[in-house]
């Protein structure tokens, strides 16, 4: 890494500590949050994607979590420009991304993704593939517009995640992140709003976590014991920003315990504003509760370094810079272990280097125009 942390800065002292996640040592506490960019025609990440990630690793990001990348199941996605984590050409492209990030001093995991009922039949990259999910519902209270998955469908998707994880290790990645957040397939099972099944995969929180836990266990079986498996989850859904998986710490524990038991090494608790308490009576955010309930290392995320909520980014809204003292206080208190940065890093590849060197006055506001290119 080409970054020299400032010896005196509080940010550097807290954020530049290495951390070991299962068998992986990450050089510091800063992760790049997964962000879909749609710059991979045919699902193949090319030179521009390689340099986009490598630039950020060279400028101090310890762990890159790639944009969501489709597992090898034809119903997994809805765009030909989102990278895929299956197919020879696609995996060869990814292998080069990992190589470049390593050469720049960083570590990298792919975010493995199946969008479930967010897909509509007829969409690319496999227009004939049906839209499917736990109950064929895209949202709570919606009419079924897709297929309720059969046991065979469930087994196929579990196998596709496991294959992608095995491929990730084979082609040189440092771990994997399973996308269990934001109302996509795995989260459609976790959330009662989209999971109305009456078999072993629906019902109470433990039953709703069964599918996610099966994916984790199958992944675990196909990778080395020391290969880190990260699980990202959220309360909010892209179908409903106010939705919650768990109203109480007890409900959250019921969901997270089977996932942890299946072999999750690290949880990535996705919130839109990291400073908001998750449950009454405590300042802990969702990541803080996750660490307290599971004892696992946890990544926090959500408006770090920025004032505006990222949801508005999709409406073209920018955001002014915000200080990170609250984040540093929480990290110093060991509320969580790592922090993922989304828009601020999308805007500015040098964000981590600036923060580690105490150059806060050089941080840039987020401008939604940054979405237009892979700069
Ligand atoms: C353009 C864009 C694309 C995103 N794509 C993904 C994705 O593929 N997977 C995912 O889990 N989250 C995705 N997110 C959410 C981010 O990972 C992150 O949680 C969110 O932006 C909040 O962090 P921030 O406030 O630092 O931007 C995306 C966010 C943005 C702005």
């Amino acid at each position: 890494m080409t970054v020299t942390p400032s010896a005196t800065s509080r940010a550097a002292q807290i954020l530049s500590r290495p951390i070991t996640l299962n068998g992986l040592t990450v050089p510091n506490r800063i992760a790049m949050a997964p962000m879909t960019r749609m710059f991979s025609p045919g699902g193949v990440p090319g030179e521009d994607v390689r340099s986009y990630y490598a630039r950020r690793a060279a400028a101090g990001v310890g762990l890159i979590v790639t944009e969501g990348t489709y597992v090898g199941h034809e119903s997994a996605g809805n765009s030909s420009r989102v990278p895929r984590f299956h197919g020879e050409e696609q995996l060869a492209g990814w292998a080069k991304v990992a190589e470049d990030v390593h050469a720049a001093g960083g570590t990298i995991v792919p975010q493995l993704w199946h969008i479930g009922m967010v897909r509509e039949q007829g969409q690319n990259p496999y227009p004939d593939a049906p839209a499917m999910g736990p109950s064929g519902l895209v949202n709570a209270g919606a009419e079924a517009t897709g297929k309720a998955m059969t046991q065979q469908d469930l087994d196929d998707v579990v196998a596709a995640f496991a294959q992608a994880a095995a491929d990730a290790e084979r082609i040189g990645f440092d771990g994997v992140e399973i996308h269990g957040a934001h109302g996509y397939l795995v989260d459609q099972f976790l959330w009662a709003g989209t999971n109305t099944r009456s078999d072993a995969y629906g019902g109470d929180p433990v039953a709703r976590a069964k599918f996610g836990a099966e994916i984790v266990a199958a992944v675990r079986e196909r990778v080395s014991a020391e290969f880190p498996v990260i699980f990202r989850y959220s309360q909010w859904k892209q179908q409903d920003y106010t939705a919650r998986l768990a109203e109480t710490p007890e409900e959250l524990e019921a969901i997270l315990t089977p996932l942890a038991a299946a072999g999750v090494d690290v949880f990535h608790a996705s919130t839109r504003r990291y400073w908001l308490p998750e449950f009454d009576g405590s300042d802990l955010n969702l990541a803080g509760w996750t660490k307290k309930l599971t004892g696992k290392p946890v990544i926090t995320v959500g408006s770090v370094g920025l004032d505006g909520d990222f949801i508005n980014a999709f409406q073209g809204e920018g955001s002014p810079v915000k200080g990170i003292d609250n984040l540093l206080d929480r990290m110093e208190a060991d509320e969580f272990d790592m922090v993922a940065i989304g828009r601020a890093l999308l805007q500015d590849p040098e964000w981590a280097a600036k923060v580690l060197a105490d150059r806060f006055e050089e941080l840039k506001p987020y401008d939604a125009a940054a979405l237009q290119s892979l700069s």
Side-chain angles (χ1 to χ4, degrees):
M1 194 167 9
T2 55
V3 176
T4 315
S6 150
T8 51
S9 140
R10 178 170 179 243
Q13 277 172 17
I14 293 170
L15 293 170
S16 63
R17 294 169 299 160
I19 181 166
T20 300
L21 309 173
N22 192 350
L24 173 69
T25 298
V26 177
N28 64 42
R29 303 300 174 110
I30 301 176
M32 179 171 181
M35 283 178 287
T36 294
R37 301 305 315 276
M38 306 179 86
F39 285 89
S40 300
V44 181
E47 289 256 335
D48 49 354
V49 176
R50 285 164 65 177
S51 51
Y52 164 76
Y53 287 121
R55 234 185 332 273
R56 283 149 177 89
V61 173
L63 174 68
I64 304 267
V65 182
T66 72
E67 60 207 286
T69 171
Y70 301 148
V71 296
H73 184 263
E74 290 194 350
S75 300
N78 63 357
S79 166
S80 294
R81 294 184 59 81
V82 166
R84 292 173 224 164
F85 216 80
H86 60 100
E88 210 172 305
E89 212 189 331
Q90 289 80 2
L91 291 176
W94 276 124
K96 290 180 185 155
V97 174
E99 196 182 308
D100 286 4
V101 166
H102 289 150
T107 63
I108 181 164
V109 301
Q111 188 190 48
L112 304 179
W113 194 19
H114 191 305
I115 72 172
M117 282 303 305
V118 173
R119 170 185 171 73
E120 289 166 27
Q121 189 165 354
Q123 289 182 317
N124 287 328
Y126 302 103
D128 294 337
M132 59 172 76
S135 308
L137 309 174
V138 69
N139 203 348
E143 299 249 315
T145 50
K147 180 182 177 196
M149 291 169 77
T150 62
Q151 187 64 52
Q152 186 63 53
D153 294 326
L154 298 177
D155 294 346
D156 289 348
V157 172
V158 167
F161 272 93
Q163 183 61 48
D167 286 336
E169 185 167 28
R170 178 176 58 81
I171 68 174
F173 280 80
D174 299 299
V176 288
E177 177 170 287
I178 295 166
H179 194 341
H182 306 168
Y184 296 107
L185 182 67
V186 177
D187 195 26
Q188 287 160 25
F189 276 86
L190 295 176
W191 186 35
T194 41
N195 181 350
T196 58
R197 295 174 78 100
S198 52
D199 63 3
Y201 295 91
D204 66 20
V206 175
R208 297 201 308 271
K210 180 174 163 63
F211 180 61
E214 282 184 2
I215 290 175
V216 172
V219 162
R220 206 46 303 152
E221 237 176 62
R222 293 287 305 276
V223 298
S224 310
E226 64 276 10
F227 194 68
V229 175
I230 306 172
F231 188 91
R232 192 174 220 219
Y233 83 100
S234 63
Q235 295 268 43
W236 66 269
K237 318 296 160 209
Q238 53 113 26
Q239 298 91 327
D240 179 356
Y241 299 138
T242 63
R244 297 185 92 191
L245 283 182
E247 294 294 343
T248 63
E250 291 71 27
E251 278 176 25
L252 186 60
E253 189 170 19
I255 292 166
L256 297 180
T257 302
L259 294 166
V264 170
D265 297 303
V266 180
F267 282 100
H268 188 171
S270 171
T271 50
R272 306 202 309 271
R273 297 177 169 283
Y274 76 85
W275 56 85
L276 294 182
E278 192 55 45
F279 301 113
D280 288 344
S282 162
D283 278 344
L284 292 180
N285 75 4
L286 187 65
W289 275 106
T290 304
K291 187 171 167 76
K292 185 181 161 93
L293 294 170
T294 66
K296 300 284 182 188
V298 175
I299 306 170
T300 196
V301 66
S303 301
V304 175
L306 294 176
D307 200 38
D309 188 323
F310 94 97
I311 292 303
N312 302 326
F314 296 107
Q315 272 83 54
E317 239 180 64
S319 168
V321 170
K322 185 180 169 84
I324 63 165
D325 284 346
N326 186 327
L327 177 87
L328 298 176
D329 292 345
R330 287 168 184 263
M331 286 193 91
E332 212 165 31
D334 266 341
E335 181 175 338
F336 35 73
D337 302 278
M338 290 191 74
V339 56
I341 311 297
R343 289 162 299 155
L345 257 175
L346 195 159
Q347 175 75 41
D348 183 1
E350 302 279 321
W351 189 92
K354 290 175 182 172
V355 166
L356 291 171
D358 217 19
R359 288 157 48 204
F360 284 94
E361 66 291 349
E362 293 176 42
L363 295 180
K364 298 176 181 168
Y366 174 72
D367 180 342
L371 288 173
Q372 304 308 320
S373 70
L374 271 187
S375 53

